[in-house]
């Protein structure tokens, strides 16, 4: 006869009577935090099994019941008689005394324990049938498994020892399940066992691997999945849909986390963010994120190489452990073409991972001449010396339109006799042919309302760079307040004007942000540049500007909160304000040596920055600049007409040349929901540099061409953030109903999978009356009763 205890749920529920619920609930959590037991499990779980006969998973999954081998009434009568005798003895020995009451309580407890044992308590649990179910074992085959971060032993050693032919864990699982091994790396494939693994995969895609394993075993009786990994998922895919699918299917995932969760000694390069392309000869300041543990307070070198030739370096003072630091390294790219820059910190003594000390990035160094239009309203020295400073830069063409009289202009550096013949461009096609626009001391009334809107659209729509210089006809003094141009500028035109023929003296100093910007680097290093700014002569301004717009930033400032150089993004482009009228003093002041190049350096960097990132009418981009051979990359193109309006009826084709010289013709199709955007997919088959040349046409009209570069090379992502990602592995286990283990606790996996797994199961009734805890409790109660009787002289 079987009796379900009152108040207890049916089979399959989790918890036993109230007196043990707290222990059983807390055991798994305690097991995670208290270390390993003698049998390869957790101390708390081993202690629980010692006292209660079974591991916590049995109690969590089972239901509590009684199955007495004799009629319940007989046991009740027997215990009732004993209870009656106990009450008689209590009455005889003096029922009012405290000791008699204590004896009564102890004897009653002993009788209750005996009654519990006589009723034969059991836990009923569902368990998988031995060797009637499949268990998929997913083994991480990526490069990070070769990291030796535990006493010099690689992570892969556990895979080979535990799941090899003589592995204890493989035998324990094989006694209960039919095992199916799969390798997890760039792809997921079946393997006969760990002996087939090379641990050389360059990627790990855990979500895809779990989905592939579930699909592989579809239609079979499956108890669950075992994922043996360090948790380094290098894919960008969201794993949540896969976990929800496994949860819906009732398929638990048991994860074994390998490797240390933190390193004792390691240094790693993080994000490296150079621009996608620059003009030949440009000087860049590239920010590099560095993190470390174990080397706090050390100064280390950051080296930048271009094909083995050093092009830049910086010293980095490492902060406290775990705190990232952003390093800035200055470099000049003198050679045109695609340049693969390698950023490296030499390995330090005792580093546990050295492959994460280097990053490579691709920068397209373009040998082309950028056209800028400079409009000046009056003859002045600023224009003369600005043009002289930029004259030596063969990559900049400063087309100048200087007003000499009403409706008369001096044209300089124009391409042909008809260029700007009528003055400032009157159509967007003509203005948008330039990449940068400099407005000197020229009033807003010199432009028509449509031209003022065109200037704003030059920045907002075309994506060009606008630079506004100071002067008596510029900014608010030139009547720009309330115009579309004022909307684009990064400064507020609300300061009261100066009295006529008055000016303010400003000594320009870099702001905190300006100290980090390439434009303000007028000397060999950041330190010498900062010192040089302190010695430059003061300039003058007739445009007192003190307020920035939200989102704008100042790079140079002067005392009294005066803005000297500020910028902001405006739509697709950038707008810069430089409200001084005589920067030429940085070249011609008596304190400036003849050989000093500060003025030239400042203007060349400012002009190059003005056109940096300005788009062409036809642009080509790749979703990644580096992929592995055989991996798909998306090739996208944006096509605009001369007014920079999207073109949806263009014919767009790309010609891709691989490292061997073989050309692939790739037509691009219009993206349905994106005006002017075309896309196609390309799979590089060979390693090396692939050149993408794209052309767009509409009918017989050529709209433009563009070029991009793609590197196909084995990835190194496995070595970055290479510590065990235990939170991800725990999440996978918890959300699917499985468990998380370490190599020290993995011995419990076979038994846990027996009771937590799905598939072909059978109900087991397991005795609880002979638990060691019952004997310990009974002995304790009887010992207490004897001790009390002895103290009372009754024994």
């Amino acid at each position: 006869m079987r009796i379900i205890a009152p108040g207890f749920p049916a089979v399959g529920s989790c918890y036993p009577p109230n007196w043990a619920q707290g222990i059983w609930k807390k055991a798994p959590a305690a097991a995670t935090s208290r270390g390993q037991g003698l049998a390869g499990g957790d101390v708390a779980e081993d202690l629980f099994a010692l006292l209660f006969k079974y591991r916590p998973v049995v109690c969590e999954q089972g239901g509590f019941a009684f199955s007495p081998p004799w009629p319940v009434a007989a046991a009740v009568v027997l215990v009732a008689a004993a209870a009656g005798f106990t009450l008689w003895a209590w009455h005889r020995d003096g029922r009012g005394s405290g000791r008699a009451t204590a004896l009564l309580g102890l004897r009653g407890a002993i009788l209750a324990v005996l009654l519990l044992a006589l009723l034969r308590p059991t836990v009923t649990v569902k368990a998988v049938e031995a060797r009637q179910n499949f268990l998929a074992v997913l083994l991480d085959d990526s490069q990070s498994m070769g990291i030796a971060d535990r006493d010099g032993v690689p992570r892969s050693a556990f895979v080979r020892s535990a799941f090899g032919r003589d592995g204890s864990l493989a035998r324990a699982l094989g006694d209960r399940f039919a095992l199916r091994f799969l390798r997890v790396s760039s792809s997921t494939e079946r393997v006969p066992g760990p002996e087939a693994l090379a641990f050389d995969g360059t990627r790990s895609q855990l979500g895809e691997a779990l989905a592939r394993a579930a699909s592989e075993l579809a239609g079979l009786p499956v108890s669950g999945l075992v994922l043996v990994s360090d948790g380094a998922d290098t894919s960008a895919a969201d794993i949540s849909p896969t976990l929800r699918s496994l949860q819906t299917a009732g398929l638990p995932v048991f994860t074994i986390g390998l490797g240390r969760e933190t390193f004792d000694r390691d240094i790693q390069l993080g994000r490296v963010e150079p621009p996608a392309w620059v003009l030949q000869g440009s000087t860049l300041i590239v920010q590099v994120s560095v993190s470390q543990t174990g080397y706090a307070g050390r100064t280390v070198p950051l080296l930048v190489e271009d094909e083995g030739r050093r092009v830049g370096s910086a010293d980095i003072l490492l902060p406290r452990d775990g705190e990232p630091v952003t390093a800035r390294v200055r470099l000049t790219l003198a050679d045109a073409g695609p340049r693969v820059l390698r950023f490296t910190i030499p390995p330090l003594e005792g580093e546990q991972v050295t492959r994460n000390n280097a990053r490579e990035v691709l920068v397209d160094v373009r040998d082309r001449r950028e056209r800028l239009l400079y409009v000046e309203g009056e003859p002045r020295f600023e224009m003369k010396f600005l043009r002289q400073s930029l004259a030596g830069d063969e990559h900049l063409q400063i087309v100048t339109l200087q007003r000499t009289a009403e409706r008369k202009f001096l044209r300089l550096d124009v391409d042909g006799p008809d260029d700007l013949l009528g003055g400032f461009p009157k159509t967007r096609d003509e203005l948008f042919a330039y990449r940068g626009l400099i407005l000197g001391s020229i009033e807003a009334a010199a432009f028509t309302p449509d031209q003022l809107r065109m200037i704003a659209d030059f920045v907002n729509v075309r994506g060009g760079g606008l630079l506004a210089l100071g002067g008596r006809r510029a900014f608010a003094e030139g009547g720009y307040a309330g115009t579309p141009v004022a909307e684009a500028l990064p400064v507020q035109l609300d300061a009261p004007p100066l009295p006529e023929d008055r000016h303010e003296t400003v000594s320009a100093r870099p702001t905190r942000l300006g100290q980090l910007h390439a434009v303000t680097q007028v000397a060999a290093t950041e330190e010498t540049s900062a010192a040089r700014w302190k010695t430059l002569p003061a300039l003058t301004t007739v445009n007192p500007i003190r307020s920035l717009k939200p989102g704008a930033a100042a790079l140079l400032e002067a005392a009294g909160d005066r803005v000297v150089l500020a910028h902001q993004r405006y739509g697709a482009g950038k707008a810069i304000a430089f409200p001084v009228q005589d920067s030429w003093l940085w070249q011609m002041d008596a304190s400036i040596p003849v050989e000093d190049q500060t003025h030239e350096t400042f203007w060349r960097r400012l002009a190059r920055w003005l056109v940096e990132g300005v788009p062409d009418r036809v642009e080509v981009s790749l979703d990644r600049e580096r992929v592995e051979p055989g991996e798909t990359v998306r090739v996208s193109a944006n096509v605009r007409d001369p007014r920079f309006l999207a073109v949806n009826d263009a014919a767009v084709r790309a010609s891709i040349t691989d490292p061997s010289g073989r050309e692939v013709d790739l037509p691009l199709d219009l993206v349905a929901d994106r005006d002017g955007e075309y896309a196609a997919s390309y799979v590089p088959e060979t390693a090396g540099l692939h050149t993408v040349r794209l052309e767009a046409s509409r009918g017989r009209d050529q709209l433009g061409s563009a070029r991009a570069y793609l590197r196909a090379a084995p990835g190194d992502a496995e070595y970055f953030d290479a510590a065990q990602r235990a939170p991800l592995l725990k999440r996978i286990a918890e959300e699917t109903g499985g468990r998380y283990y370490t190599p020290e606790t993995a011995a419990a996996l076979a038994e846990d999978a027996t009771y937590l797994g799905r598939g072909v199961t059978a109900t087991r009734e397991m005795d609880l009356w002979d638990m060691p805890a019952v004997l310990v409790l009974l002995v304790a109660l009887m010992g207490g009763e004897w001790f009390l009787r002895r103290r009372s002289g009754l024994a």
Side-chain angles (χ1 to χ4, degrees):
M1 179 175 64
R2 181 168 178 273
I3 305 171
I4 302 295
F8 287 91
V11 173
S13 300
C14 295
Y15 295 107
N18 293 334
W19 60 270
Q21 281 191 27
I23 300 176
W24 286 359
K25 286 182 180 179
K26 295 176 182 177
T32 302
S33 61
R34 293 184 186 176
Q36 297 84 39
L38 298 177
D42 289 329
V43 171
E45 293 204 359
D46 289 348
L47 181 60
F48 187 94
L50 178 66
L51 291 176
F52 297 99
K53 191 177 176 182
Y54 308 109
R55 296 185 64 254
V57 65
V58 175
C59 305
E60 291 174 2
Q61 300 299 309
F64 190 76
F66 295 102
S67 295
W70 44 69
V72 176
V76 173
V77 169
L78 181 62
V79 173
F85 177 78
T86 300
L87 286 172
W88 174 80
W90 172 69
H91 186 274
R92 181 197 62 187
D93 295 338
R95 56 188 178 186
S97 68
R99 289 182 178 179
T101 303
L103 283 171
L104 176 65
L106 287 171
R107 290 165 181 170
I110 293 170
L111 291 175
V113 173
L114 289 174
L115 177 61
L116 180 68
L118 290 173
L119 292 177
R120 193 192 167 206
T122 63
V123 59
T124 305
V125 63
K126 285 186 177 180
V128 299
E129 288 284 355
R131 300 195 59 81
Q132 298 297 309
N133 300 277
F134 285 87
L135 189 69
V137 181
L138 290 77
L139 304 175
D140 193 334
D141 191 31
S142 63
Q143 293 173 336
S144 61
M145 296 292 287
I147 296 175
D149 57 347
R150 281 184 177 267
D151 301 323
V153 179
R155 300 167 181 178
S156 58
F158 173 81
V159 176
R160 297 194 187 280
S161 63
F163 292 95
R165 289 187 176 90
D166 299 324
S168 57
L169 186 54
R171 287 199 306 271
L173 292 172
D175 291 341
R176 295 171 169 83
F177 307 96
L179 301 182
R180 182 166 291 184
F181 291 98
L182 297 95
R183 66 182 293 272
V184 177
S185 183
S186 302
S187 60
T188 304
E189 304 168 350
R190 285 189 60 182
V191 293
E195 62 276 2
L197 305 181
F199 302 105
D200 59 357
T202 55
R203 288 183 297 158
S204 298
Q205 303 182 83
L206 300 186
E208 179 182 312
L210 293 172
R212 175 76 174 83
S215 175
E216 175 86 12
L217 299 175
L220 299 175
V222 184
S223 288
L225 310 177
V226 178
L227 175 61
V228 187
S229 172
D230 54 19
D233 189 347
T234 58
S235 71
D238 184 8
I239 201 172
S240 299
T242 299
L243 298 184
R244 286 194 295 268
S245 175
L246 294 172
Q247 187 179 44
T248 301
L251 200 59
V253 180
F254 304 92
T255 59
I256 302 178
L258 305 180
R260 303 187 61 172
E261 294 187 44
T262 57
F263 292 134
D264 291 332
R265 296 172 73 81
D266 183 54
I267 189 166
Q268 172 176 292
L269 291 189
R271 296 175 62 88
V272 180
E273 299 180 335
W277 67 267
V278 296
L279 286 178
Q280 185 179 7
S282 292
T283 297
L284 311 177
I285 293 183
V286 181
Q287 295 190 348
V288 183
S289 174
V290 181
S291 58
Q292 65 82 33
T293 55
Y295 300 102
R298 291 274 298 270
T299 298
V300 297
L302 173 63
L303 310 177
V304 188
E305 295 180 342
D306 178 5
E307 295 184 354
R309 178 172 54 88
R310 186 174 299 180
V311 294
S313 64
D315 290 332
I316 307 171
L317 177 62
L318 299 177
R320 292 182 298 181
D321 288 357
E323 290 186 2
V325 61
T326 299
R328 294 173 299 277
V329 57
R330 182 161 64 173
L331 55 137
T332 300
L333 301 178
D335 297 328
R339 316 307 303 177
V340 178
L341 303 181
R342 182 176 178 84
F343 294 75
T344 307
I345 293 179
L348 304 180
E349 72 281 356
E351 267 199 270
Q352 293 171 292
V353 183
T354 59
R355 293 284 295 273
N356 59 4
N357 286 35
R359 289 275 193 184
E360 290 185 346
V361 294
L362 178 65
V363 179
D364 182 10
V365 182
R366 298 181 178 179
D367 181 11
R368 56 188 274 178
R369 200 173 189 211
E370 305 282 37
R371 297 176 71 226
L372 295 85
L373 175 59
Y374 178 14
V375 184
E376 186 58 78
E378 57 185 339
R380 59 177 187 157
F381 287 129
E382 187 72 350
M383 185 193 81
K384 173 184 176 181
F385 287 99
L386 185 158
R387 286 180 50 80
Q388 286 183 359
S389 296
L390 300 179
D393 193 332
E394 61 184 9
H395 295 95
L396 296 174
Q397 177 185 359
I398 310 300
V399 179
T400 304
L401 190 67
Q402 178 189 333
R403 185 175 60 188
T404 56
E406 187 69 24
R407 298 184 181 180
K408 291 185 179 181
F409 296 90
L410 172 65
R411 298 176 297 147
L412 300 174
D413 285 346
V414 294
D415 290 334
D418 296 330
D419 284 1
L420 304 176
L421 193 59
F424 190 81
K426 296 178 174 57
T427 66
R428 282 166 171 75
D429 297 25
E430 187 180 2
L431 178 60
F432 288 6
Y434 297 92
R435 301 174 65 82
L437 175 61
I438 302 175
L439 295 180
S441 181
I442 184 168
E443 67 279 4
F447 305 99
T448 67
D450 185 56
Q451 286 175 324
L452 291 172
R453 172 50 61 189
M454 280 169 47
I455 294 173
D457 288 346
F458 176 82
V459 185
N460 184 34
V461 178
R462 189 255 183 272
L466 170 65
L467 171 60
L469 305 180
R472 59 194 181 95
R473 294 186 176 94
F475 296 100
E477 288 69 22
Y480 283 93
T483 68
V485 175
E487 296 177 9
L489 293 176
V491 295
Q492 303 280 7
L493 305 184
D494 54 3
L498 296 175
E500 190 173 353
D501 297 329
R502 293 287 301 276
H503 63 262
E504 290 183 345
T505 300
V506 293
S507 295
R509 298 291 183 267
T511 63
R512 184 180 296 273
L513 177 63
Q515 293 173 5
L516 312 179
H517 202 282
V519 169
T520 66
Q521 302 304 303
V522 294
T525 65
E526 289 186 10
E527 292 74 16
T528 54
S529 291
R532 185 70 183 108
W533 281 107
K534 295 178 181 179
T535 62
L536 287 177
L539 308 180
T540 63
T541 180
V542 293
N543 312 110
I545 294 177
R546 290 175 170 80
S547 301
L548 296 176
K549 290 181 179 177
L555 301 181
L556 294 175
E557 63 183 1
D561 296 327
R562 286 173 291 186
V563 177
V564 178
L565 181 65
H567 73 101
Q568 74 169 3
R569 297 296 303 181
Y570 181 68
K574 71 168 76 72
I576 306 172
F578 187 43
V580 295
Q581 62 179 352
D582 47 13
S583 67
W584 56 271
L585 289 173
W586 290 341
Q587 181 174 351
M588 298 302 296
D589 188 83
S591 64
I592 302 295
V594 174
E595 67 277 6
D596 188 273
Q597 294 292 306
T598 301
H599 183 258
E600 289 85 349
T601 300
F602 173 79
W603 270 108
R604 288 177 186 178
R605 291 185 176 170
L606 180 58
R608 282 175 174 251
W609 178 45
L610 183 65
V611 298
E612 180 183 296
V614 174
D616 292 319
R617 286 167 51 193
V618 175
E619 291 275 305
V620 61
S621 62
L622 310 173
D623 62 347
R624 288 161 293 173
E625 60 93 5
R626 176 178 176 173
V627 296
E628 296 190 17
E631 187 178 1
T632 301
V633 63
R634 178 184 170 92
V635 182
S636 301
N638 281 292
V639 181
R640 301 289 186 266
D641 65 9
R643 296 165 58 90
F644 273 76
L645 300 177
V647 176
N648 290 335
D649 57 349
V652 184
R653 304 189 74 85
S655 176
I656 303 178
T657 306
D658 69 11
S660 67
R662 184 177 64 93
E663 292 191 3
V664 176
D665 187 58
L666 184 69
L668 279 69
D669 297 322
L670 180 68
V671 178
D673 56 345
R674 303 291 294 273
D675 285 341
E677 183 174 328
Y678 299 76
S681 296
Y682 171 66
V683 180
E685 300 294 342
T686 57
L689 191 67
H690 297 246
T691 303
V692 181
R693 296 179 177 86
L694 183 136
E695 292 187 354
S697 61
R698 181 163 56 183
R700 296 183 178 181
D701 297 331
Q702 291 294 319
L703 296 175
S705 61
R707 182 185 59 193
Y709 298 95
L710 170 68
R711 281 193 305 153
D716 55 3
E718 287 288 326
Y719 294 102
F720 291 85
D721 297 322
Q724 183 198 156
R725 301 179 192 178
L728 174 61
L729 296 175
K730 291 176 181 178
R731 177 194 171 196
I732 293 173
E734 291 171 1
E735 293 190 14
T736 59
R739 292 283 178 87
Y740 165 80
Y741 307 89
T742 64
E744 293 78 13
T745 63
L749 169 60
E751 185 175 354
D752 287 350
T754 300
Y755 298 107
L756 293 172
R758 304 297 184 262
V760 179
T761 61
T763 300
R764 297 182 185 179
E765 190 174 85
M766 308 169 75
D767 286 332
L768 296 176
W769 67 271
D770 56 350
M771 292 187 301
V774 174
L775 178 61
V776 170
L777 181 60
L778 191 59
V779 170
L781 291 173
M782 294 179 68
E785 190 270 348
W786 176 83
F787 178 77
L788 193 58
R789 284 192 297 112
R790 183 180 178 85
R791 290 288 300 271
S792 304
L794 301 176

